Amino acid sequence: MIFITKKSQIAESLQNASAIAERRQTIPILANIKIKTNKDQVVITATDLEVQLQTTIPKISVEEEGEITVSARKMSELCRSLPENENLKFELLNGKLHVSSSNFIADFATLSANDFPELEVNYEGGSLSASSGLIKRLLTKTSFSMASQDVRYYLNGLLLEFTKEGVKAVATDGHRLSVANSKKLDYKGEDLKYILPRKAVLELAKILSSDDEIVEILFSDSHITIKKTNLIFSSKLIDGKFPDYEKVFPRGKESSLIVDKTILQSALSRSSVLSNEKYRGVRFTLSINNLKLTANNPEQEMAEEEVDVMFSGGPLEIGFNIGYLLDVLNVIETDKVEMLFYGEESSCLLREPESTTETYVIMPMRL
């Protein structure tokens, strides 16, 4: 195997593959990426047996075809550290992958590509098409609410719902809920619900572009695959029943608060410095057109700040986790944010004013 490429052609593919490759090295070859050459292209594959990424790099000068596996982390880090327009020559010599540039030479240990496992995927459920930017937006707007190591394994992922009305992404860790939906999807099939694993969601959100490039989504009962130009991303699905998130939305008489997003973000960041490091709580005290934030900790330290808001409801005191509030504010794009309160014991609903495209629910905490 011999091929020549520029760093700029291969670096991003190596970095994306490195993020997919298994880090715990329970099976040594899963820490590797497979590099395969044919005709004028290089195909790079990485998998941890749950998620798999295959990237094709076209217009490569291939002198000799072949395939081999090398360390994903080492290859990615090496390539990233080289100058941008550096020409790289990859050559398989005596069982090692020889990489050379104008002033640099490296030999990488290899494992046979014949031993490299790949996901076995079948697609019995059908397919649909959507813009890359649409899927990326839905994932980015909700993924922060996923659980990470919850015993309720179905919470360690994100629910995708496809209906004739559009597509919806839902994530919850039991303390907060994020829902994003879009009607910009022409889907005429039966209603579908799939739970994507946490790692698949986070990597897809990084890999997908924000433009209108059309991607193809293929699915079965156990796998989902997203195909775009020169890229195939596959993942196992979480086999479980996602909770009925509609029941989480608070009901009853609501009191609306509208506040400048940047001002609230800054005030919460200051309050977090003196909040309890374990629970990170902040108390909201609401009165007509006024919000008082109070945070304290076991060291008897305290922070208090008043913020001008638009609020005409009755007096209210309620506590929240500062981190949960900041996570929501970080994905809201408007200058203002609306918070709907339903009483001191009920969850709070956050959204962009006069918009229902994305909705966030945060449970209160006792302080």
Side-chain angles (χ1 to χ4, degrees):
M1 182 179 77
I2 304 173
F3 67 93
I4 298 170
T5 179
K6 286 189 177 296
K7 175 213 169 171
S8 55
Q9 284 180 284
I10 201 170
E12 184 179 358
S13 297
L14 289 173
Q15 192 168 342
N16 289 338
S18 176
I20 298 294
E22 176 62 67
R23 299 232 172 100
R24 291 170 294 186
Q25 296 190 4
T26 47
I27 304 174
I29 201 166
L30 291 181
N32 284 12
I33 51 171
K34 184 172 83 169
I35 301 175
K36 181 178 182 179
T37 58
N38 48 44
K39 296 182 180 178
D40 62 347
Q41 63 185 25
V42 172
V43 180
I44 295 174
T45 307
T47 184
D48 64 357
L49 297 182
E50 299 284 334
V51 177
Q52 180 171 295
L53 175 66
Q54 186 177 91
T55 310
T56 300
I57 307 167
K59 299 178 182 177
I60 299 290
S61 173
V62 177
E63 297 180 10
E64 185 179 307
E65 294 185 4
E67 59 180 359
I68 199 66
T69 79
V70 295
S71 167
R73 179 184 61 80
K74 292 175 184 175
M75 183 62 76
S76 172
E77 289 181 2
L78 171 81
C79 196
R80 192 170 66 236
S81 67
L82 290 169
E84 199 59 39
N85 291 314
E86 195 80 0
N87 280 316
L88 300 174
K89 183 176 183 179
F90 293 75
E91 185 174 6
L92 191 58
L93 287 171
N94 302 320
K96 291 193 174 183
L97 186 60
H98 184 77
V99 182
S100 59
S101 66
S102 55
N103 301 311
F104 178 82
I105 299 173
D107 284 327
F108 284 84
T110 64
L111 292 171
S112 170
N114 294 330
D115 299 325
F116 190 79
E118 294 188 29
L119 279 182
E120 295 181 10
V121 182
N122 58 63
Y123 309 109
E124 302 155 349
S127 64
L128 59 90
S129 298
S131 81
S132 174
L134 167 64
I135 301 300
K136 182 184 181 79
R137 179 183 175 85
L138 290 173
L139 299 182
T140 305
K141 290 281 188 177
T142 55
S143 58
F144 62 86
S145 289
M146 294 185 295
S148 57
Q149 292 180 317
D150 202 296
V151 292
R152 297 165 293 179
Y153 59 93
Y154 45 82
L155 297 185
N156 301 323
L158 180 143
L159 176 70
L160 278 182
E161 284 187 351
F162 299 97
T163 67
K164 294 179 179 66
E165 296 176 358
V167 58
K168 186 180 289 186
V170 185
T172 180
D173 60 5
H175 303 286
R176 53 182 168 170
L177 171 75
S178 298
V179 180
N181 61 76
S182 174
K183 296 181 179 177
K184 298 177 183 177
L185 184 73
D186 186 21
Y187 176 67
K188 300 289 192 290
E190 295 181 2
D191 291 359
L192 300 171
K193 292 185 180 183
Y194 298 112
I195 307 175
L196 274 65
R198 179 183 175 85
K199 182 175 179 178
V201 171
L202 297 178
E203 295 306 324
L204 256 183
K206 287 190 282 186
I207 291 168
L208 290 174
S209 56
S210 300
D211 55 28
D212 292 328
E213 179 186 356
I214 297 299
V215 298
E216 185 181 9
I217 305 173
L218 307 164
F219 34 79
S220 68
D221 289 339
S222 57
H223 292 86
I224 187 168
T225 292
I226 294 182
K227 292 184 177 181
K228 56 177 284 191
T229 307
N230 297 325
L231 187 147
I232 303 174
F233 181 95
S234 301
S235 171
K236 287 184 177 180
L237 296 168
I238 293 177
D239 182 16
K241 182 173 171 55
F242 204 79
D244 183 0
Y245 60 88
E246 296 286 353
K247 293 181 178 178
V248 176
F249 288 102
R251 288 173 174 80
K253 184 181 178 183
E254 64 184 44
S255 299
S256 171
L257 176 149
I258 295 178
V259 60
D260 185 285
K261 184 188 80 167
T262 305
I263 290 175
L264 182 58
Q265 276 178 312
S266 299
L268 288 170
S269 296
R270 285 188 287 272
S271 296
S272 69
V273 175
L274 294 178
S275 66
N276 186 308
E277 290 185 11
K278 184 176 180 181
Y279 301 109
R280 298 196 70 203
V282 61
R283 177 179 282 107
F284 277 37
T285 305
L286 287 161
S287 55
I288 300 295
N289 293 334
N290 181 267
L291 165 63
K292 184 168 77 172
L293 303 176
T294 309
N296 49 48
N297 60 36
E299 285 78 44
Q300 306 297 312
E301 296 172 318
M302 187 268 288
E304 190 174 285
E305 183 165 350
E306 295 197 14
V307 178
D308 290 333
V309 298
M310 291 175 59
F311 181 74
S312 55
L316 182 73
E317 271 199 20
I318 190 168
F320 295 109
N321 179 296
I322 293 176
Y324 294 170
L325 290 170
L326 288 174
D327 283 343
V328 172
L329 295 177
N330 285 337
V331 297
I332 283 180
E333 297 173 28
T334 52
D335 293 334
K336 303 281 187 182
V337 59
E338 183 177 20
M339 302 180 71
L340 299 173
F341 298 94
Y342 297 82
E344 297 180 354
E345 301 294 325
S346 297
S347 297
C348 169
L349 192 146
L350 292 88
R351 66 188 183 194
E352 296 177 356
E354 300 179 6
S355 170
T356 56
T357 307
E358 291 101 26
T359 307
Y360 305 95
V361 178
I362 299 178
M363 289 179 63
M365 63 184 294
R366 296 184 185 278
L367 294 173

